[in-house]
Amino acid sequence: MLPHQLELLAPARDADIGIEAVNHGADAVYIGGPSFGARTSADNSVADIARLARHAHRYNSRIFVTMNTILRDDELEPARKLAWQLYDAGVDALIVQDMGLLEIDLPPIQLHASTQTDIRTPEKARFLQDAGLSQIVLARELTLQQIAAIDAALGPKDAPGRAILEFFVHGALCVAYSGQCYISHAHTGRSANRGDCSQACRLPYEVKDSQGRIVAHDKHVLSMKDNNQSDNLREIIDAGVRSFKIEGRYKDMAYVKNITAHYRVLLDEILEERPELARASSGECTFHFQPDPNQNFNREFTDYFVQGRKEDIGAFDTPKNPGRPIGFVTTTGPNFVELQTDDKDTVIHNGDGLCYLDLQKELVGLQINRAEAVNKKGLWRVFPKDPMEGFKDLRKGVQINRNRDMDWVRGLEKKSAERRIGAWLALDETADGLTLTITDEDGHSGTATLPGALQDAKDPSQAEAKLRENLSRLGDTLFQPLDVALNLNGPRFVPASQLNALRRDAVERLEAARAAAWHRLPRAKPVEPPVNYPEDTLTYLANVFNHKARDFYAKHGVKVIAAAYESHEEEGEVSLMITKHCVRFSLSLCPKQAKGVTGVQGTVKAEPMQLINGKEKLTLRFDCKPCEMHVVGKIKRSVMNAAPASPVTFYRTRPATPA
């Protein structure tokens, strides 16, 4: 990928979704392999990934495979074998978290730094670039200014080995810095860094202050709204980002189609404005629907910290999809609800998903079996799937939202996009007959010949038009005609069957030329001698879980290395989650917010708070200098007593200096 190219990077739960991501405009797709990916339920066979890679490479799109869990020592050899299988399958890059992988015999495949590597500083970004990582995904919590500082630290954009900056622009947000969340392992033994997060951040909590007073009850105070950077793309580009990542390896086909198309449209608009930038792959997309992020599951949207800290980043009432308002209840019956829509043209469909908030602000679902229009002024009678007595607080005046539009869903179940590569066709008359050359937008050509004497056209006035029309019929091929040039000695007649065969042969040879021109992304070479890591001491937060990872950091100047949290060496209270999100700030209890407020200044202190969910209790501690929150707790005895996932012990103190 060149420094002036913009890459739209889409997720895929499986190969079929990945193929549709490519068809809807993805320049690259990331997908899990059969193991070692940080989403346990999104595994795919090597054969399926090879099928996806073949399709993607036809458009010069790339396939990245996630191998981004931390690995035990006994998993390094299976991981090495898998890396070679993926390389042979045509995969373009591996996304990694565990630095131990850099110390084993990997194929010459490009390596990208996973979000789990927690890249927040210029120093760490530069280190990973110098260690041989070609693309690095930045922490989602960064501001534009912080992104720009990291970009500057990487050096000139066209320098050899210069890493590409990747940034999440859409999807669900983990409240913790990626790779810095251990609540799941502490409470359940399931490790987020090994792909098995229990999502404690989506649970409701009671929040108590240092005096035991309840300041929030049954609120999802660790649950974030969904990321949406649609309005910030130009500024993100100016800050140095070149790869725009959509979250969602658990998402369904409709989500990937819709969100990929949405950002394809936005990025193409920017490319039209800025000719110094280019797409990272080939072809243009035509969509048979209007992309709309609001149609998919979302917890409402936030642009998070890109433009600085904001108060409304949390989805505290519910981690579910609240949908969009469509009207209000006018009356309820024994098995129906009558709704007045806000727009009389709104249509409610059989199977739609409606919802509303009860008096406790809990989201209640209202799935519709049948919908009937009462009049033409927007009044509808809907018959829910479930009995009416189960709908708490459903009464006249309640606002109704729609969070699933079945008409929309059915539309995306059909073919919803076409992606075509522009091509120029030239038909030349030669001494031996006809030659057709098709040249695509990337400069590849395919040529076919039709030997034999040519016939003069009986109707010269229509001859050229018919030839152009026939040659332009590229049908279900990858290509769309940009122009057809006829270089003939006069009006000619060519039977349609012969012209079709000539066109098919030229297209096949053009596709073969494109396939032959495919090349692997170059593997970056680490700087020699090895550069020092920005710190010489690593705690459990570095996620070092095998001896090869330890060797990597030791080689890069680290003196003290603690084992990963999953090694069960941290028995006491530690930070189980580190977040840029601050519960105090969100509840308007931040000392900085109170600064200068008459009668309040000095009375609000960043004292610890407590989160309570059933028997689970966690402490919130606030580090105001970097403006961060630590969720503190300890590993459960039942988890600690279980055999650690990997019995490793590294040096936790500095090695003795030789006498």
Side-chain angles (χ1 to χ4, degrees):
M1 184 173 161
L2 299 174
H4 66 278
Q5 292 178 330
L6 303 184
E7 174 183 271
L8 177 57
L9 176 55
R13 186 176 64 198
D14 57 43
D16 291 334
I17 293 177
I19 287 170
E20 286 305 320
V22 172
N23 294 344
H24 286 70
D27 300 303
V29 172
Y30 65 104
I31 186 171
S35 53
F36 309 124
R39 293 288 186 275
T40 53
S41 301
D43 294 342
N44 294 277
S45 69
V46 173
D48 264 358
I49 291 173
R51 175 168 64 92
L52 170 58
R54 286 193 296 272
H55 180 77
H57 292 162
R58 298 173 80 195
Y59 296 95
N60 285 333
S61 291
R62 301 289 185 175
I63 300 302
F64 308 151
V65 172
T66 57
M67 289 185 64
N68 59 339
T69 57
I70 56 174
L71 303 171
R72 302 189 307 255
D73 281 303
D74 65 319
E75 290 174 327
L76 289 170
E77 177 58 17
R80 185 193 69 80
K81 290 180 178 178
L82 176 58
W84 279 96
Q85 291 170 354
L86 293 169
Y87 177 80
D88 292 339
V91 168
D92 296 282
L94 301 179
I95 302 172
V96 302
Q97 173 188 190
D98 196 319
M99 293 298 113
L101 289 169
L102 276 67
E103 296 294 301
I104 64 176
D105 175 34
L106 290 183
I109 191 170
Q110 194 168 98
L111 300 179
H112 295 181
S114 167
T115 182
Q116 301 297 110
T117 56
D118 182 34
I119 303 166
R120 286 180 266 157
T121 66
E123 294 79 13
K124 188 165 187 180
R126 181 60 189 245
F127 169 78
L128 289 171
Q129 172 183 283
D130 291 346
L133 282 296
S134 298
Q135 191 154 309
I136 53 180
V137 60
L138 302 177
R140 304 171 216 217
E141 292 82 0
L142 298 183
T143 65
L144 290 167
Q145 292 75 21
Q146 290 170 321
I147 294 170
I150 290 174
D151 182 61
L154 299 183
K157 275 204 168 20
D158 56 353
R162 214 273 194 180
I164 296 295
L165 288 188
E166 179 184 313
F167 192 64
F168 278 98
V169 294
H170 202 93
L173 285 166
C174 293
V175 64
Y177 291 124
S178 291
Q180 305 291 279
C181 184
Y182 308 94
I183 291 179
S184 180
H185 188 78
H187 287 178
T188 69
R190 295 162 50 187
S191 167
N193 278 312
R194 287 175 57 77
D196 199 13
C197 176
S198 62
Q199 293 198 315
C201 55
R202 301 298 181 189
L203 297 175
Y205 291 96
E206 183 176 85
V207 184
K208 288 185 176 181
D209 66 13
S210 58
Q211 299 177 49
R213 296 173 298 192
I214 296 174
V215 294
H217 177 68
D218 218 21
K219 291 292 184 181
H220 304 262
V221 292
L222 299 179
S223 179
M224 298 293 96
K225 293 180 179 177
D226 285 1
N227 186 20
N228 186 336
Q229 301 296 336
S230 298
D231 295 335
N232 296 324
L233 293 180
R234 289 166 179 80
E235 292 169 284
I236 293 171
I237 291 169
D238 292 339
V241 171
R242 290 295 177 267
S243 179
F244 303 84
K245 189 170 193 172
I246 299 167
E247 180 276 338
R249 281 203 296 121
Y250 277 159
K251 300 291 189 180
D252 60 18
M253 179 82 79
Y255 171 92
V256 173
K257 284 184 174 184
N258 183 33
I259 303 303
T260 304
H262 170 71
Y263 282 94
R264 182 73 272 157
V265 170
L266 294 182
L267 289 175
D268 284 349
E269 289 175 357
I270 294 171
L271 293 175
E272 284 289 323
E273 297 168 7
R274 300 175 63 166
E276 75 276 13
L277 299 173
R279 282 187 61 167
S281 62
S282 309
E284 291 188 358
C285 292
T286 302
F287 303 116
H288 308 321
F289 68 104
Q290 184 65 42
D292 180 4
N294 286 297
Q295 291 284 4
N296 291 119
F297 179 98
N298 66 82
R299 301 174 180 89
E300 301 185 304
F301 291 121
T302 174
D303 66 358
Y304 217 30
F305 292 93
V306 166
Q307 299 284 3
R309 186 178 289 278
K310 297 178 179 177
E311 294 186 10
D312 59 345
I313 63 174
F316 295 164
D317 289 330
T318 176
K320 301 175 183 177
N321 178 12
R324 288 190 288 183
I326 62 167
F328 59 91
V329 175
T330 58
T331 188
T332 61
N335 63 343
F336 67 86
V337 183
E338 285 195 356
L339 311 174
Q340 177 61 52
T341 58
D342 299 327
D343 182 343
K344 64 181 179 62
D345 295 326
T346 296
V347 177
I348 302 177
H349 315 97
N350 297 344
D352 276 2
L354 307 182
C355 59
Y356 66 96
L357 291 173
D358 64 19
L359 293 177
Q360 282 71 45
K361 290 196 173 181
E362 287 290 327
L363 200 68
V364 180
L366 193 73
Q367 186 173 338
I368 302 307
N369 260 353
R370 189 170 86 254
E372 300 173 353
V374 176
N375 59 34
K376 296 182 179 180
K377 297 180 180 179
L379 186 64
W380 286 79
R381 177 172 287 189
V382 298
F383 297 84
K385 174 184 175 183
D386 298 314
M388 287 295 296
E389 55 268 22
F391 296 114
K392 184 181 176 184
D393 300 328
L394 184 62
R395 64 197 186 287
K396 182 178 180 180
V398 167
Q399 177 182 293
I400 297 294
N401 293 1
R402 175 159 57 191
N403 56 13
R404 187 181 67 250
D405 183 336
M406 282 306 298
D407 189 53
W408 169 268
V409 171
R410 292 187 188 104
L412 285 182
E413 288 173 350
K414 306 171 186 174
K415 183 177 181 179
S416 49
E418 293 183 3
R419 182 170 180 175
R420 298 291 181 87
I421 298 167
W424 292 267
L425 293 85
L427 185 66
D428 293 282
E429 183 173 335
T430 68
D432 299 321
L434 289 175
T435 298
L436 175 63
T437 300
I438 306 178
T439 304
D440 68 24
E441 62 189 49
D442 298 315
H444 307 299
S445 294
T447 299
T449 59
L450 177 63
L454 300 179
Q455 303 176 41
D456 291 332
K458 294 180 180 179
D459 185 356
S461 64
Q462 297 294 319
E464 279 200 9
K466 287 185 177 180
L467 283 174
R468 291 180 193 276
E469 180 185 355
N470 194 308
L471 290 172
S472 297
R473 291 174 183 165
L474 295 176
D476 293 331
T477 71
L478 295 183
F479 310 102
Q480 62 179 355
L482 299 175
D483 184 58
V484 179
L486 301 178
N487 304 309
L488 307 175
N489 296 331
R492 299 299 192 188
F493 168 74
V494 183
S497 59
Q498 294 182 3
L499 208 57
N500 291 342
L502 182 67
R503 186 186 62 242
R504 282 195 299 270
D505 288 348
V507 166
E508 285 179 7
R509 289 169 186 176
L510 174 55
E511 283 224 45
R514 290 185 63 84
W518 174 76
H519 63 280
R520 290 191 181 275
L521 297 169
R523 170 82 170 269
K525 294 181 179 179
V527 171
E528 291 293 344
V531 298
N532 279 345
Y533 190 72
E535 303 167 26
D536 70 354
T537 301
L538 296 180
T539 69
Y540 70 96
L541 296 171
N543 301 322
V544 180
F545 201 38
N546 59 70
H547 287 80
K548 287 294 184 181
R550 181 196 62 181
D551 294 346
F552 171 87
Y553 285 109
K555 180 174 75 175
H556 289 280
V558 181
K559 305 298 183 187
V560 180
I561 303 173
Y565 190 76
E566 288 78 359
S567 296
H568 297 179
E569 293 187 16
E570 304 291 341
E571 297 187 33
E573 283 200 336
V574 296
S575 295
L576 296 179
M577 180 189 286
I578 305 174
T579 82
K580 193 67 178 174
H581 161 59
C582 176
V583 168
R584 276 195 169 276
F585 183 86
S586 295
L587 297 177
S588 300
L589 295 172
C590 168
K592 294 179 181 179
Q593 290 169 310
K595 189 176 181 180
V597 179
T598 303
V600 180
Q601 184 175 356
T603 65
V604 177
K605 295 181 173 60
E607 295 171 330
M609 289 180 158
Q610 195 172 51
L611 294 185
I612 303 170
N613 175 269
K615 295 181 180 179
E616 306 292 359
K617 294 183 180 180
L618 296 162
T619 300
L620 300 182
R621 299 190 186 278
F622 304 92
D623 189 351
C624 292
K625 188 173 181 180
C627 212
E628 293 176 341
M629 181 178 76
H630 291 241
V631 182
V632 177
K634 61 188 298 186
I635 195 166
K636 281 189 174 182
R637 183 54 53 190
S638 59
V639 176
M640 178 63 77
N641 290 340
S646 182
V648 290
T649 302
F650 303 141
Y651 31 91
R652 300 168 63 91
T653 59
R654 291 182 180 277
T657 304

